[in-house]
Amino acid sequence: MKSHQTAQTMKAATAAKKLGVYLEATPAEFQKGEVSRAELNELQANPPEWLRELRTNGPHPRPVVAARLGVSIAGLARGGVTEALTTEQIETLKKDSPEWLEKERATQAEVRKEAERIKNKKSAENADND
């Protein structure tokens, strides 16, 4: 038996997700290739210009858009946002503050509040059991 390990690789889509960028906006050579764990670590540690530009200006994938707007991904869909948005588009949405965005932010705040309440309740129960 051989004891050498092959390099662990991932599809470009997985790497883009881990990097927090929109795959379709990445360079063609990135989209078509596979990325090793070492290459991903290098991209995270020393991002090239294209990666810095995407992270700063977008277009951003839906999870990043949702986080920047303070809503859930489902909330984006309910608000009609199904495409990647640039930083400028996100800032415009924040400034315009449409009704759906305000509603989704309130919903998200309630979800966080409830999650915190449950966490505190479980912590108290665990402390009582110790």
Side-chain angles (χ1 to χ4, degrees):
M1 287 192 356
K2 294 183 180 180
S3 62
H4 71 21
Q5 288 185 318
T6 58
Q8 185 181 15
T9 61
M10 62 193 82
K11 293 179 182 176
T14 303
K17 191 178 215 178
K18 290 181 180 287
L19 293 169
V21 295
Y22 186 56
L23 177 63
E24 285 76 7
T26 61
E29 62 271 10
F30 180 86
Q31 291 180 35
K32 293 177 183 158
E34 287 193 337
V35 180
S36 72
R37 175 66 61 190
E39 290 169 331
L40 178 68
N41 291 341
E42 180 61 25
L43 285 170
Q44 289 174 325
N46 300 306
E49 182 59 33
W50 65 264
L51 182 54
R52 286 194 301 272
E53 178 69 20
L54 278 177
R55 285 178 168 170
T56 302
N57 299 317
H60 304 286
R62 286 182 306 149
V64 173
V65 173
R68 288 187 177 192
L69 290 174
V71 300
S72 66
I73 294 172
L76 282 180
R78 285 189 294 271
V81 178
T82 57
E83 299 297 317
L85 298 179
T86 64
T87 299
E88 185 178 325
Q89 290 169 314
I90 293 168
E91 292 305 316
T92 299
L93 264 177
K94 283 180 176 178
K95 189 178 76 175
D96 294 347
S97 197
E99 186 179 331
W100 71 264
L101 181 56
E102 291 300 317
K103 182 179 175 189
E104 292 300 333
R105 282 181 166 169
T107 300
Q108 192 68 10
E110 286 298 317
V111 168
R112 286 189 199 109
K113 189 173 162 183
E114 181 64 9
E116 183 69 23
R117 186 190 68 76
I118 291 169
K119 179 182 164 191
N120 290 338
K121 182 179 176 185
K122 286 184 179 181
S123 293
E125 287 173 358
N126 288 339
D128 289 344
N129 292 334
D130 288 343

